[in-house]
Amino acid sequence: DQQVKQNSPSLSVQEGRISILNCDYTNSMFDYFLWYKKYPAEGPTFLISISSIKDKNEDGRFTVFLNKSAKHLSLHIVPSQPGDSAVYFCSPAGGTSYGKLTFGQGTILTVHP
Amino acid sequence: KAGVTQTPRYLIKTRGQQVTLSCSPISGHRSVSWYQQTPGQGLQFLFEYFSETQRNKGNFPGRFSGRQFSNSRSEMNVSTLELGDSALYLCASSLVATTYGEKLFFGSGTQLSVL
């Protein structure tokens, strides 16, 4: 059962513009949602998270929005930079998910100079 | 502070062999989890250990096993290797891996190729 879906396999944006990455989930019981970024041949690195009791969390250029009624979250990167080019994964957490992240298929973001 | 260290970085094995991968977590971290990344299946959770006890397990066959030592270092073992086991195996550590969105720190992984 796919608990998380990232329906856009790839996204291409121009440097300085906004990047919007989307994620849909199925289980309303999750307590947190996390975004990770991954470069090739490296492990994922934590980017930003949001608690299910909030609808927005901001950290510098990165903002995550949570729409619980639609079971949808999105990551906004403004302004986008070439160094942001990576694969982005979302994952829910909560319940007895000790150490377990259920990643979506990921979205490949390419930021062109 | 040193990050999560995985050894070896690359490994080539043949079908039917077994393999052991090692992970040293960040100092002070007690939770270690393992993930498999393949092009077709993406990143999938294998299992998680805390204080030498497996607390969580993903949907992998029994050929995949792991353990954690008293110093929090962890190993995972894959027996009777199959071609489909070729993947990047990632280890992640965290302080206690509570349910409250505690972030995981990943190593660079071990790239396993099964011929």
Side-chain angles (χ1 to χ4, degrees):
Chain A
D1 68 345
Q2 244 188 319
Q3 298 192 65
V4 178
K5 281 188 181 178
Q6 293 177 256
N7 293 316
S8 299
S10 63
L11 176 67
S12 181
V13 300
Q14 212 53 40
E15 181 178 7
R17 308 295 288 268
I18 184 171
S19 296
I20 300 176
L21 299 101
N22 296 301
C23 181
D24 297 306
Y25 61 95
T26 56
N27 189 336
S28 303
M29 302 303 292
F30 294 124
D31 299 313
Y32 271 83
F33 297 89
L34 302 94
W35 282 94
Y36 279 76
K37 169 170 89 169
K38 186 181 185 301
Y39 295 113
E42 292 184 14
T45 54
F46 172 79
L47 198 56
I48 190 170
S49 65
I50 187 168
S51 164
S52 61
I53 63 172
K54 294 187 175 182
D55 52 21
K56 176 182 174 182
N57 188 30
E58 194 171 350
D59 183 2
R61 298 186 296 113
F62 303 91
T63 303
V64 57
F65 296 92
L66 177 62
N67 182 334
K68 288 183 284 294
S69 60
K71 296 181 185 172
H72 177 84
L73 64 154
S74 61
L75 173 68
H76 293 210
I77 306 174
V78 184
S80 301
Q81 299 173 355
D84 296 330
S85 298
V87 183
Y88 289 78
F89 296 94
C90 65
S91 173
T96 55
S97 63
Y98 303 115
K100 177 179 180 180
L101 297 177
T102 305
F103 291 103
Q105 286 299 312
T107 297
I108 302 169
L109 173 65
T110 304
V111 181
H112 300 282
Chain B
K1 208 177 208 182
V4 177
T5 304
Q6 290 188 246
T7 56
R9 188 72 178 91
Y10 300 94
L11 206 48
I12 299 175
K13 292 285 187 179
T14 56
R15 275 185 301 173
Q17 286 187 311
Q18 75 163 14
V19 67
T20 299
L21 311 181
S22 180
C23 173
S24 293
I26 291 172
S27 177
H29 284 193
R30 296 169 62 190
S31 168
V32 174
S33 49
W34 289 88
Y35 290 79
Q36 180 196 64
Q37 184 183 24
T38 58
Q41 298 298 318
L43 272 160
Q44 292 188 291
F45 172 77
L46 281 155
F47 29 66
E48 186 262 1
Y49 288 87
F50 178 81
S51 292
E52 302 177 67
T53 299
Q54 186 183 88
R55 290 194 300 186
N56 211 346
K57 189 176 188 303
N59 295 323
F60 279 82
R63 300 186 297 106
F64 292 82
S65 63
R67 60 177 175 168
Q68 186 181 35
F69 302 96
S70 58
N71 61 359
S72 295
R73 192 177 70 83
S74 176
E75 289 181 347
M76 69 162 281
N77 184 277
V78 187
S79 61
T80 319
L81 283 166
E82 300 177 0
L83 295 179
D85 297 333
S86 295
L88 179 67
Y89 289 89
L90 292 158
C91 165
S93 77
S94 64
L95 281 168
V96 292
T98 67
T99 61
Y100 300 108
E102 182 182 340
K103 61 185 179 186
L104 305 184
F105 294 84
F106 284 83
S108 296
T110 294
Q111 184 66 55
L112 172 65
S113 297
V114 182
L115 306 178

